[in-house]
Amino acid sequence: MSTVSTVNGGISFWYADRGTPIAREPLPGDSTADVCIVGGGYTGLWTAYYLKKAVPFLNITILEANFCGYGASGRNGGWLYNGIAGRDRYAKLHGHEAAVRLQQAMNDTVAEVVRVATEEDIDADIHQGGVLEVAYTPAQLARLKDFHSVEIAFGETDRVLRGARETGERVNVTGAVGSTWTPHGARLHPVKLVTGLAATVEALGVTIHESTPVTAIEPKHARTPYGTVRAPYILRCTEGFTANLKGHKRTWLPMNSSMIATEPLPRSVWDAIGWEGRETLGDMAHAYMYAQRTADDRIALGGRGVPYRYGSATDNDGRTQPATIEALRDILVRLFPVAAGARIDHAWSGVLGVPRDWCATVTLDRSTGLGWAGGYVGSGVATTNLAARTLRDLIQQDSGQSGPTELTTLPWVDHKVRKWEPEPFRWLGVHGMYAAYRAADRRELTSPRPGTDPIAKAADRLAGRH
Ligand SMILES: Cc1cc2nc3c(=O)[nH]c(=O)nc-3n(C[C@H](O)[C@H](O)[C@H](O)COP(=O)(O)OP(=O)(O)OC[C@H]3O[C@@H](n4cnc5c(N)ncnc54)[C@H](O)[C@@H]3O)c2cc1C
């Protein structure tokens, strides 16, 4: 396998596949709107979509620093699935039943994204094969079984546990000793979804200005170098880039995630691997990997790599570190030795937003009209849609058009969390945590014991994850 010809960056493989779009016109000067959305990723676009569908005469402006889908929404692994960051903590804070409602809303959200994509004629290579998560060490198997039981306790009664043989019949992951599968997931092409959404909202009458970085968000004002948009509601939908905004350096930590995509693999390789159901595929490692079989028969596989850049810096148009490309390639070959000769066509990275308590949130501050959603910690492809429908309901409630709804009473609404530590503690903490996860993963690979390695447990506690 060679990485000599690997394209590194260029935003993502998904853009290499579709072509990088020409940016829409920037903001021409000062203007007004009913709702101004900062950030043209899934969160911003879905929010515009649902608001406009609910109130067609609403004047909505999206301000996007680059072009719609420049961020994680144009770079992700294409796992449309029902995981939401923070559910277990919300169960502790608000009770089990509240968290079950949140989980149910997420299960429904996967179906909702598929429904809208179909209705709006957005062809995003969606394949509803569910989510398969595999274990290949005794410790991973023990975690997998615990995970499976917990998910069932949160109402996922259609989730199944599979043994080694059954797992291998689905996807032939070397050394897999078991797996869990849920139907609440689909594989998709991230860029086809985000560009389709942008075109859809524009056709509905939403104004999109690209190449327009917002330099400050204040009540009723979004300021840019080209002018200021005044609106009663300003929604911050900048997720992993939030740290770049004035006053938000320590709000959400920009965590890196990196991916590689192989060349299209030949029939002989697929005969050996199987994966005919095109499930999204993950593992139970602490520094876990996520993968999909693309519509054109590549494997796109991601993982953490270098987790965080000092000072909350973000990447340069998706470039990742050569060592990360090697590490992801090693994972690919360990899982699928039969793909060892495949060319790695593309490698890239992106940032996702991590709050200090690792809980996704959606909020509308009624006193200022400022709203935001994010902190999805890498589970945002579906969660952004739930966040958007919730922001719609919160705005409608605030403007007197409706009362509380099922969505506005979910436990992640209006959740508050403290900021991250200043540097160098932030950098030391995150790098220490991932060094511990990697050490734990290495030890679990050779350990016959079923328990999670104590180093990983300590890292979880220190990071405030559990
Ligand atoms: C490599 C990678 C793989 C992932 N894989 C998965 C996956 O398989 N499944 C899953 O569920 N989740 C995954 N995620 C997470 C998921 O992609 C994100 O949670 C989701 O896309 C977030 O959408 P968003 O709209 O909130 O943010 P983004 O898509 O990051 O959009 C934010 C937008 O705001 C713009 N912006 C930033 N600052 C400003 C400013 N000052 N002014 C104007 N505009 C600004 C940016 O240019 C960007 O377009 C992954 C993330 C990464 C990075």
Side-chain angles (χ1 to χ4, degrees):
M1 185 186 294
S2 161
T3 56
V4 176
S5 56
T6 304
V7 177
N8 184 358
I11 308 174
S12 70
F13 160 74
W14 312 113
Y15 278 112
D17 187 41
R18 297 296 290 169
T20 310
I22 296 166
R24 295 171 171 87
E25 289 300 310
L27 182 71
D30 289 346
S31 82
T32 58
D34 297 316
V35 179
C36 175
I37 294 172
V38 181
Y42 297 145
T43 302
L45 293 167
W46 278 124
T47 304
Y49 177 80
Y50 286 110
L51 278 170
K52 197 73 183 167
K53 281 282 188 180
V55 190
F57 58 79
L58 218 53
N59 179 357
I60 303 173
T61 296
I62 297 178
L63 301 175
E64 163 55 51
N66 300 284
F67 53 81
C68 290
Y70 174 83
S73 302
R75 310 185 193 194
N76 63 73
W79 274 47
L80 173 72
Y81 83 117
N82 64 344
I84 179 163
R87 183 201 59 197
D88 296 2
R89 187 179 292 266
Y90 286 128
K92 283 184 193 144
L93 291 173
H94 299 273
H96 182 74
E97 280 318 306
V100 168
R101 287 201 296 122
L102 184 61
Q103 186 58 63
Q104 187 56 51
M106 281 303 300
N107 296 352
D108 296 345
T109 298
V110 172
E112 170 67 7
V113 172
V114 176
R115 181 191 73 75
V116 178
T118 309
E119 191 172 299
E120 301 295 347
D121 222 1
I122 300 173
D123 178 3
D125 292 344
I126 294 177
H127 184 92
Q128 293 183 261
V131 181
L132 184 74
E133 278 150 302
V134 300
Y136 43 82
T137 68
Q140 285 191 18
L141 185 62
R143 273 201 298 284
L144 182 95
K145 287 178 178 167
D146 286 350
F147 169 65
H148 177 80
S149 313
V150 169
E151 297 310 295
I152 287 185
F154 279 104
E156 250 202 88
T157 46
D158 39 10
R159 179 177 277 277
V160 296
L161 202 56
R162 291 189 173 132
R165 191 180 49 80
E166 271 183 301
T167 301
E169 281 167 7
R170 305 298 306 183
V171 187
N172 188 8
V173 174
T174 301
V177 286
S179 64
T180 173
W181 179 83
T182 172
H184 301 291
R187 184 277 330 259
L188 56 73
H189 187 304
V191 163
K192 288 188 182 179
L193 178 62
V194 78
T195 50
L197 267 178
T200 302
V201 300
E202 203 166 34
L204 288 174
V206 171
T207 304
I208 304 178
H209 292 298
E210 297 186 326
S211 304
T212 305
V214 171
T215 49
I217 295 179
E218 294 156 14
K220 305 188 176 14
H221 295 78
R223 300 193 190 280
T224 86
Y226 304 108
T228 296
V229 177
R230 289 177 174 72
Y233 298 104
I234 313 270
L235 306 180
R236 167 164 56 81
C237 303
T238 49
E239 239 263 321
F241 300 90
T242 301
N244 299 334
L245 280 165
K246 204 169 140 196
H248 288 287
K249 193 80 177 165
R250 296 193 281 132
T251 301
W252 292 332
L253 181 139
M255 184 79 83
N256 294 322
S257 199
S258 294
M259 297 198 67
I260 54 172
T262 66
E263 64 182 319
L265 302 178
R267 189 70 251 165
S268 57
V269 171
W270 288 115
D271 284 346
I273 294 177
W275 209 346
E276 293 304 320
R278 294 178 191 259
E279 305 88 340
T280 59
L281 180 72
D283 68 11
M284 296 304 292
H286 300 290
Y288 58 84
M289 72 86 198
Y290 50 91
Q292 68 152 278
R293 176 176 176 177
T294 65
D296 62 349
D297 279 341
R298 302 165 191 265
I299 295 177
L301 180 146
R304 191 58 74 218
V306 173
Y308 167 72
R309 293 167 209 240
Y310 193 86
S312 292
T314 47
D315 59 85
N316 189 3
D317 285 349
R319 272 190 76 77
T320 191
Q321 301 81 2
T324 299
I325 304 176
E326 290 300 328
L328 293 175
R329 190 183 71 155
D330 288 349
I331 294 173
L332 175 74
V333 176
R334 179 153 46 77
L335 299 181
F336 303 116
V338 66
R343 202 177 58 233
I344 304 294
D345 274 353
H346 211 120
W348 70 99
S349 73
V351 283
L352 41 101
V354 181
R356 188 61 186 87
D357 64 354
W358 303 72
C359 292
T361 44
V362 50
T363 296
L364 179 70
D365 180 341
R366 280 85 172 166
S367 62
T368 59
L370 296 179
W372 57 89
Y376 310 115
V377 194
S379 302
V381 174
T383 317
T384 48
N385 177 281
L386 181 62
R389 285 182 284 130
T390 308
L391 279 172
R392 171 202 61 195
D393 287 7
L394 288 169
I395 287 176
Q396 290 209 277
Q397 186 184 335
D398 187 64
S399 55
Q401 291 168 58
S402 78
T405 66
E406 171 65 18
L407 299 188
T408 61
T409 59
L410 289 175
W412 69 325
V413 176
D414 289 342
H415 175 69
K416 303 271 182 310
V417 61
R418 72 182 163 96
K419 288 182 182 255
W420 281 88
E421 290 77 358
E423 295 292 23
F425 303 106
R426 214 154 65 234
W427 189 91
L428 287 170
V430 176
H431 279 258
M433 183 180 105
Y434 275 97
Y437 283 166
R438 288 205 184 86
D441 282 332
R442 277 194 301 275
R443 283 156 56 119
E444 288 179 3
L445 267 178
T446 52
S447 169
R449 287 189 299 129
T452 283
D453 193 276
I455 296 180
K457 284 188 182 164
D460 276 347
R461 271 196 302 277
L462 280 176
R465 294 191 82 166
H466 295 295

